[in-house]
Amino acid sequence: MKKTLFIIIVLGLYFSAWAQTKTASKEDIQRFKSSTTYVVLEENPFSVFNASIVTSLPLFWKITPYKIITTQEFEKSRTDPTKSFLYISYAEITKTKTTLFSANTNLFDNVDQFRYNLLNLVLGDRSGNLNKMPDLASLPLSYVAPLSKNDEDDDEDEVDYSYKLGGIFQLMQFYINWATDNPNKTFDQLMNLYTPEVKTLEIWVTKEDLAQESSSLEKIAKVYPYKVKIATTEQIEKAIAEGNNNVIFIHKIGPEEYKLKDPICFLTLINCATGKPYYFSYHKVKDKSLDGMLISDFKKLVKQ
């Protein structure tokens, strides 16, 4: 089974904001919590996801029992509504204008197409149709290589998100538990809820997480007087594994080395121990210097 391609029509929220998916109801969430989650291996045996889940799942997936399966097993079992599934698909963003954004926004003012690795958590559906499976949480992980002329899947040179995958699993579980207790609230409200706590914690960023204008602690300190550490991916992975409640890591989705025209950089600040999200932002990357957290992001954190 090749990765399914979903077309993104709105991208204001991380969760349940993808076209052709059915948002999970309160009853679906309760059904999920009594299910076994089947984690689907990618067909590429060398994928970042396959290599990471063996070590990440036992440490970080606590919300349901789980079992690792192949894509062939997924094809046979996805019609069972008592089962839940965690798998990787492609998500594609194309030119769009929606009332979700203000009239003067230029986030989607080009006709380029970008693809992402999208981590999907869904319930089975008797139809077997992926578009009808209740979507519990969908989270972009990274850009994938630009579309080739013959539109073949390109699994080479995949961005390495393995060091933070445990924290991403915790974020998904945090959201589901929060949504259970707050059925009438949105993910946007969740982000605003905890942002003021950032100043009491320490933000750990890699050099790749920072835009050129914020590429040193000296530059950051001019606008953000709270704790920040430029860390390695190994240090962040260790902080997540040890459950360091005083540390926040950044889940950045940027173009990295891919040659794309005006791609978008997404930033989410996440607690290493709990998966609690604190801040979400996005901006267009008109040149390489803007690929990462901006000075304006740090200024916004100070104002909260």
Side-chain angles (χ1 to χ4, degrees):
M1 182 190 78
K2 291 186 177 181
K3 290 182 182 176
T4 303
L5 177 64
F6 293 99
I7 307 299
I8 305 171
I9 56 172
V10 293
L11 224 164
L13 306 179
Y14 259 15
F15 295 94
S16 301
W18 311 92
Q20 304 178 24
T21 58
K22 175 186 175 183
T23 303
S25 64
K26 182 179 179 180
E27 291 73 22
D28 290 329
I29 293 175
Q30 292 299 329
R31 184 155 53 95
F32 159 73
K33 288 189 171 182
S34 62
S35 74
T36 293
T37 299
Y38 291 81
V39 184
V40 185
L41 292 171
E42 293 198 85
E43 289 189 334
N44 173 18
F46 303 106
S47 74
V48 172
F49 184 71
N50 287 7
S52 304
I53 59 172
V54 174
T55 55
S56 295
L57 283 170
L59 290 175
F60 303 109
W61 193 260
K62 307 299 183 183
I63 196 167
T64 61
Y66 69 87
K67 180 180 178 181
I68 298 175
I69 62 173
T70 64
T71 56
Q72 291 75 21
E73 291 172 306
F74 174 57
E75 294 292 340
K76 297 177 181 178
S77 57
R78 68 188 190 185
T79 57
D80 188 341
T82 67
K83 296 178 179 178
S84 56
F85 302 93
L86 187 70
Y87 66 95
I88 300 288
S89 69
Y90 284 143
E92 181 179 290
I93 185 170
T94 62
K95 178 182 178 183
T96 182
K97 292 285 187 180
T98 79
T99 55
L100 181 64
F101 302 102
S102 60
N104 64 350
T105 185
N106 63 355
L107 184 61
F108 300 112
D109 63 358
N110 61 72
V111 296
D112 297 298
Q113 295 181 339
F114 309 122
R115 291 196 302 175
Y116 305 86
N117 279 314
L118 182 68
L119 183 62
N120 306 269
L121 180 61
V122 303
L123 283 171
D125 184 81
R126 295 190 187 283
S127 68
N129 187 333
L130 293 175
N131 301 329
K132 294 182 179 181
M133 292 182 176
D135 180 73
L136 296 149
S138 295
L139 178 67
L141 295 175
S142 65
Y143 276 90
V144 297
L147 292 170
S148 59
K149 292 182 179 180
N150 57 7
D151 198 29
E152 291 180 354
D153 291 344
D154 189 347
D155 293 313
E156 297 182 1
D157 301 322
E158 190 175 6
V159 175
D160 185 7
Y161 51 80
S162 60
Y163 71 95
K164 56 186 175 180
L165 188 59
I168 291 169
F169 284 154
Q170 292 185 120
L171 169 59
M172 298 183 84
Q173 293 168 95
F174 184 96
Y175 171 71
I176 291 170
N177 287 326
W178 183 86
T180 301
D181 298 331
N182 301 273
N184 298 318
K185 293 186 178 181
T186 66
F187 181 67
D188 187 50
Q189 290 172 304
L190 168 61
M191 299 302 286
N192 293 333
L193 186 62
Y194 299 114
T195 304
E197 296 180 15
V198 172
K199 289 176 283 191
T200 69
L201 305 171
E202 186 170 23
I203 302 174
W204 286 16
V205 297
T206 68
K207 291 181 180 179
E208 291 73 24
D209 288 333
L210 297 171
Q212 183 175 312
E213 64 182 30
S214 58
S215 58
S216 71
L217 295 179
E218 290 76 17
K219 292 178 180 179
I220 296 170
K222 290 179 180 180
V223 298
Y224 186 80
Y226 306 99
K227 292 181 179 180
V228 180
K229 174 179 177 177
I230 297 180
T232 64
T233 57
E234 291 80 11
Q235 289 173 320
I236 292 174
E237 184 174 26
K238 183 179 179 183
I240 294 171
E242 293 178 346
N244 193 331
N245 197 49
N246 295 315
V247 173
I248 296 169
F249 74 94
I250 295 179
H251 178 37
K252 187 202 84 170
I253 306 167
E256 307 295 342
E257 299 303 319
Y258 294 144
K259 295 180 179 180
L260 303 169
K261 180 183 177 182
D262 295 347
I264 302 160
C265 178
F266 298 94
L267 303 166
T268 306
L269 272 61
I270 305 168
N271 188 280
C272 285
T274 65
K276 179 191 289 186
Y278 298 100
Y279 176 75
F280 173 67
S281 179
Y282 52 80
H283 61 269
K284 184 175 290 187
V285 180
K286 290 185 175 294
D287 61 70
K288 179 64 177 176
S289 67
L290 298 175
D291 185 11
M293 196 163 182
L294 305 172
I295 287 296
S296 60
D297 290 305
F298 287 103
K299 288 181 178 179
K300 290 176 185 176
L301 293 175
V302 171
K303 293 178 180 179
Q304 292 292 326

